[in-house]
Amino acid sequence: MFAALLMGTFTLISCQEEFEELPDSNDGKAIEASSSTAALIKDTSSEGGQNNSIECIDFVYPIDLFSFNINLEITNTVTVKNDIELRLFFTGLGENDIVGIDFPITLEKYDGTRVVVNSNAELAVVLEAAKDSCDPGQIAPCSDGDINEALLGDCRFKITNLDGTFFEELYIDFSNSNIHAYDANNTIADEGNWSLQSGVLQINSLSATLGNYIGDWKVISCENDSFKLKRGEETIVLTKSCEVTGESNEEIENILAECKWEFVVPSSSSIGLYNVKFLENGDVKFVDENGGVFTIDTFTTWKLDGGAITFYNANQELIAEKWKISSYSASQMYVDIYNENELVYQNVLQRKCEDGTACSDADINDALFGGCKFKITNLDGTFFEELYIDFSNSNIHAYDANNTIADEGAWSLQSGVLSFVALSLKLDNYNGEWEVIECGTDSFKLERGEEIIVLTKECD
């Protein structure tokens, strides 16, 4: 341990480029106790609601720290396990102390995205960006109505800490404003009730396994299938876990078709090392990290029936015939892997979406036929003129900033390729075939040769 810290001392001397220097900083190149980066770290570890607290990014613990005085002598070493310990460490530094961090470390944004930083310079940039972009409206994006709708639904929620661990595997049923906590064997582990007001979830009457979790928890982040709750320095995550029923097939098919999927724990078979892509027409592809197709089973197809994925024309020495889904959310599928009627092993399929995952033709049509216009820009957000396109009825009506028709034409879609025709005025150079290469909630990226344009939904 001392050798590692001593090496950190030499790092301070010989690797000056590893230390931060914000564009507007006069603090030097080390993280000094009085530096702006040290202040950012303290603000990030401050309790939400305090002055200057940065609430939309969190450190993921544990983190190993050490400090030096101006003579580069080690004055303190510590492993911090939470925000309180991190804040106290920095508060206890002398004015001339210098901090060293054992990189890499991980930070988590309000939306659950994780960022790995490998140097003081990267840390400074990430924290400064979080401070600049932190919008209080992002911290609690759900209304009470949204939260109630989710919790009162048919699915249970797995409870974990921020790092995905918990002292026991527990699933909570919030229906009827009650709390029924089940363990991994589906046995009741605790019971209570809950209420919600102004984004604060009040948990009451727990007396057994979850007795320490009674109290008020602020909903600080909300996603399609998860919530983050915070009470003081504690943060817990509730992730939706839906039981498979006869009505689940269509929902599961839609979820599976969205992205690639990978095993959380790679299996001993070759297929456990590959990502799985379930295609809408029943085809399936097994691809590696670089997108290369696993060629042995290029003729394999799949079908979902009764909550089980069945593979056809598969090499069963490599791919088990049936994957029975025991529970699922939008990001995970818990599967029992069978060969014929024999349970081989259990695993979890984790969704692995690339940035800007491509949409199906149905998704693209649904968006373009909706009631909204789309602003057209280049990749950098600029365009030669501010134009908005109405794609309804397979026509193109382009409007300028004054809502005056600037061009007209038509469009069609096949296999992810948009064809623009009959444009003759402002957009005549945009006739032709554009491949939809990325699809977001409210935007599309289209590519034609070297050109890329972005269509961003603008609803009146």
Side-chain angles (χ1 to χ4, degrees), residues 37-260:
T37 300
L40 285 169
I41 292 172
K42 285 188 283 187
D43 290 345
T44 304
S45 60
S46 294
E47 185 173 350
Q50 295 184 0
N51 291 337
N52 300 321
S53 64
I54 302 174
E55 299 184 49
C56 53
I57 195 166
D58 294 306
F59 289 101
V60 177
Y61 298 98
I63 298 173
D64 293 327
L65 303 170
F66 42 89
S67 60
F68 306 90
N69 59 23
I70 56 175
N71 298 317
L72 298 181
E73 297 169 331
I74 298 171
T75 59
N76 195 15
T77 64
V78 66
T79 298
V80 295
K81 302 181 183 67
N82 54 50
D83 282 346
I84 292 178
E85 293 181 2
L86 179 60
R87 189 165 63 253
L88 290 177
F89 176 86
F90 273 88
T91 302
L93 294 175
E95 183 176 352
N96 295 319
D97 282 343
I98 299 171
V99 177
I101 300 176
D102 187 10
F103 292 104
I105 64 172
T106 302
L107 296 98
E108 183 163 349
K109 298 180 181 180
Y110 73 94
D111 61 359
T113 303
R114 291 197 168 196
V115 180
V116 177
V117 296
N118 296 287
S119 68
N120 295 322
E122 290 182 16
L123 177 61
V125 170
V126 169
L127 294 183
E128 189 68 30
K131 179 181 179 181
D132 291 342
S133 64
C134 196
D135 178 359
Q138 295 175 324
I139 305 304
C142 281
S143 67
D144 284 4
D146 294 328
I147 300 169
N148 275 317
E149 183 178 358
L151 297 185
L152 293 172
D154 296 329
C155 298
R156 297 177 184 176
F157 286 79
K158 185 177 184 180
I159 181 172
T160 65
N161 298 313
L162 196 58
D163 62 1
T165 65
F166 206 60
F167 66 87
E168 183 178 345
E169 186 176 349
L170 295 173
Y171 300 84
I172 301 178
D173 180 354
F174 288 97
S175 59
N176 301 314
S177 297
N178 293 316
I179 293 174
H180 295 92
Y182 297 85
D183 62 20
N185 297 316
N186 205 33
T187 303
I188 288 284
D190 209 341
E191 294 181 300
N193 58 75
W194 62 276
S195 60
L196 177 70
Q197 186 172 6
S198 301
V200 176
L201 188 68
Q202 186 177 65
I203 296 177
N204 310 303
S205 303
L206 297 169
S207 58
T209 307
L210 293 174
N212 291 332
Y213 292 83
I214 288 175
D216 291 345
W217 294 83
K218 182 181 179 182
V219 181
I220 61 170
S221 178
C222 170
E223 297 295 325
N224 289 335
D225 63 349
S226 67
F227 299 93
K228 282 185 188 172
L229 313 181
K230 190 163 187 174
R231 180 184 66 179
E233 297 298 328
E234 295 178 277
T235 301
I236 56 175
V237 182
L238 298 175
T239 303
K240 187 182 292 185
S241 180
C242 302
E243 296 296 321
V244 177
T245 67
E247 306 299 320
S248 303
N249 278 352
E250 183 176 356
E251 182 178 10
I252 294 174
E253 284 181 348
N254 290 336
I255 294 172
L256 286 174
E258 290 175 356
C259 301
K260 297 175 185 175

Side-chain angles (χ1 to χ4, degrees), residues 353-374:
C353 294
E354 300 170 351
D355 292 337
T357 302
C359 281
S360 67
D361 283 6
D363 293 328
I364 299 169
N365 277 318
D366 284 346
L368 298 186
F369 282 127
C372 298
K373 296 175 183 176
F374 286 79

Side-chain angles (χ1 to χ4, degrees), residues 11-27:
T11 301
L12 284 167
I13 298 172
S14 62
C15 298
Q16 291 293 318
E17 68 275 12
E18 287 298 311
F19 289 90
E20 58 86 23
E21 184 173 20
L22 292 175
D24 60 348
S25 173
N26 295 313
D27 296 324

Side-chain angles (χ1 to χ4, degrees), residues 353-399:
C353 294
E354 300 170 351
D355 292 337
T357 302
C359 281
S360 67
D361 283 6
D363 293 328
I364 299 169
N365 277 318
D366 284 346
L368 298 186
F369 282 127
C372 298
K373 296 175 183 176
F374 286 79
K375 186 176 183 179
I376 181 172
T377 65
N378 298 313
L379 197 56
D380 62 0
T382 64
F383 206 62
F384 67 85
E385 184 177 343
E386 187 174 349
L387 294 174
Y388 300 85
I389 301 178
D390 180 353
F391 288 97
S392 59
N393 301 316
S394 296
N395 294 316
I396 294 174
H397 294 92
Y399 296 84

Side-chain angles (χ1 to χ4, degrees), residues 7 72 171 197 232 261 273 324 395 420:
M7 183 63 72
L72 298 181
Y171 300 84
Q197 186 172 6
W261 295 78
L273 305 178
K324 184 177 181 182
N395 294 316
F420 295 158

